[in-house]
Amino acid sequence: MTQRTGRAVRITEPGSLELVDTAHADPGPGEALVEVAYCGICGSDREVFAGTRPAEFVRYPVVPGHEWSGTVRAVGAGVPDRLVGRGVVGQGIRTAEGTPASVEGDTEGWPQDYEETGFTLPGGWSTWLTLPARYLHLLPEGADLRAAAGIEPAACVAEAVLLADVSAGSKVAVVGAGTLGLLCVQLLKGAGCEVTVVHHNDERRELAERCGAAHYTGDASTLGATFDAVIEAAGVPGIARTSARLARRGGRVVLTGIPAQDADDLSSLELVSRNVHVLTVFGAPTRAWAYAVRAFSAGVLDPTPLITHEFDLADAKDALDELAARRGALKVLLKP
């Protein structure tokens, strides 16, 4: 048995993290051992550190990190040896093996308790990561692993794009120009949509246009209810109602953000009288991962312009502070 040493950042409890030495054994049957190349920091990681993530979606102590990319270094029994040396990303939310829901990647039918890499299971803020090989998605040979660390958030909004049921020429509004919103713009542009970005200030205009936005505004009230689809990626109180009011009669609204404070602000009168369809995304099922990886492989999806900072794993606290300071940081990466 081979023991591989490394290091990891562990959040022991809210507000407390530590850098620890680790040892990883050979992967078990059906598993793969990945050497992590890069791991992004998400707003939900900040919630884990701050202690504001809902208790049912985190288990302390935990090694965070669900936005990772890496290289397979070893595989267990039943996993093809040809995976060794391949660049990969991987799904975080666990599904019940052998069930139809698992096969279809349908989040609605999972008959097990919530488990996810980086929240209840060890994540990518680590040199090594072991997980079932069935959750891996292979990247093209020579893929940029730095850019590939952005595929996980892209998979989440890929599900939103799929639920929005758009096609070439669809008019789509993306509400919020953070990481999720801008990755969504790239995917929608790739699908041939005319994309309008709604963001609360003008700071992301140039980047939104670079990602493929045809229009940009800081004031949703200047837009009519004219959009075939609206994808919300802001996660602030009241934004669901703002998003719904942008949809045309019969249009679709897909909500992806989770406000820090709940706000029951959707009007059933408005929704029903205008026949607006509201859908939601929590995580990314298999079909969305496949969509995002294909878009990345084809050059449609490129998270690189969104990367603003990189930190060594030992400086994880500084990376969290940089995000909290709101000095223009967008996608911050850790390098184990």
Side-chain angles (χ1 to χ4, degrees):
M1 179 177 291
T2 304
Q3 285 280 353
R4 296 170 176 83
T5 59
R7 55 186 186 156
V9 171
R10 182 167 57 203
I11 297 179
T12 56
E13 61 184 6
S16 178
L17 59 75
E18 58 184 4
L19 183 69
V20 297
D21 294 326
T22 61
H24 286 256
D26 291 334
E31 292 182 334
L33 178 68
V34 176
E35 184 176 10
V36 178
Y38 292 90
C39 191
I41 300 180
C42 174
S44 54
D45 297 318
R46 290 175 53 203
E47 292 173 357
V48 171
F49 181 69
T52 56
R53 185 168 174 83
E56 63 268 32
F57 298 126
V58 64
R59 187 163 59 237
Y60 299 97
V62 65
V63 175
H66 55 288
E67 299 182 0
W68 59 268
S69 64
T71 304
V72 177
R73 296 303 184 194
V75 294
V79 182
D81 289 338
R82 63 179 180 274
L83 266 65
V84 176
R86 290 295 301 271
V88 292
V89 291
Q91 295 178 221
I93 296 179
R94 300 299 197 258
T95 59
E97 188 171 3
T99 67
S102 173
V103 173
E104 296 297 327
D106 178 6
T107 58
E108 296 303 311
W110 299 346
Q112 68 171 49
D113 292 337
Y114 167 81
E115 296 281 1
E116 184 173 5
T117 299
F119 296 106
T120 64
L121 300 168
W125 292 16
S126 177
T127 308
W128 301 100
L129 178 62
T130 301
L131 74 165
R134 69 192 184 98
Y135 294 118
L136 296 178
H137 290 265
L138 298 181
L139 301 173
E141 295 285 357
D144 181 355
L145 295 182
R146 179 174 176 268
I151 291 179
E152 191 279 339
C156 294
V157 288
E159 176 65 1
V161 172
L162 290 166
L163 290 174
D165 194 25
V166 295
S167 58
S170 293
K171 290 183 59 179
V172 186
V174 174
V175 182
T179 297
L180 287 176
L182 293 172
L183 292 172
C184 188
V185 171
Q186 291 187 7
L187 294 174
L188 290 167
K189 174 65 174 179
C193 300
E194 180 187 325
V195 186
T196 297
V197 169
V198 182
H199 192 64
H200 61 89
N201 59 37
D202 206 50
E203 66 180 8
R204 299 276 165 78
R205 178 184 294 274
E206 182 178 351
L207 187 52
E209 292 173 349
R210 182 177 174 185
C211 288
H215 313 285
Y216 184 105
T217 182
D219 185 0
S221 66
T222 63
L223 304 172
T226 60
F227 293 95
D228 302 309
V230 182
I231 297 179
E232 176 275 319
V236 296
I239 205 67
R241 191 167 196 169
T242 297
S243 301
R245 286 177 170 173
L246 294 175
R248 63 167 173 78
R249 182 178 298 276
R252 292 190 174 213
V253 177
V254 186
L255 306 177
T256 73
I258 302 176
Q261 297 178 341
D262 193 20
D264 185 16
D265 64 345
L266 284 174
S267 164
S268 56
L269 173 62
E270 292 182 14
L271 297 178
V272 175
S273 63
R274 297 196 300 112
N275 193 30
V276 171
H277 306 273
V278 178
L279 305 102
T280 61
V281 173
F282 180 79
T286 301
R287 68 170 189 162
W289 273 93
Y291 188 109
V293 171
R294 286 197 301 268
F296 178 81
S297 301
V300 170
L301 173 70
D302 180 14
T304 305
L306 280 60
I307 299 170
T308 56
H309 296 74
E310 293 181 38
F311 290 85
D312 183 81
L313 194 63
D315 300 319
K317 179 59 168 58
D318 292 338
L320 287 166
D321 290 343
E322 184 63 42
L323 273 173
R326 299 184 180 277
R327 292 186 293 240
L330 186 54
K331 180 47 60 183
V332 174
L333 299 181
L334 293 178
K335 187 170 173 52

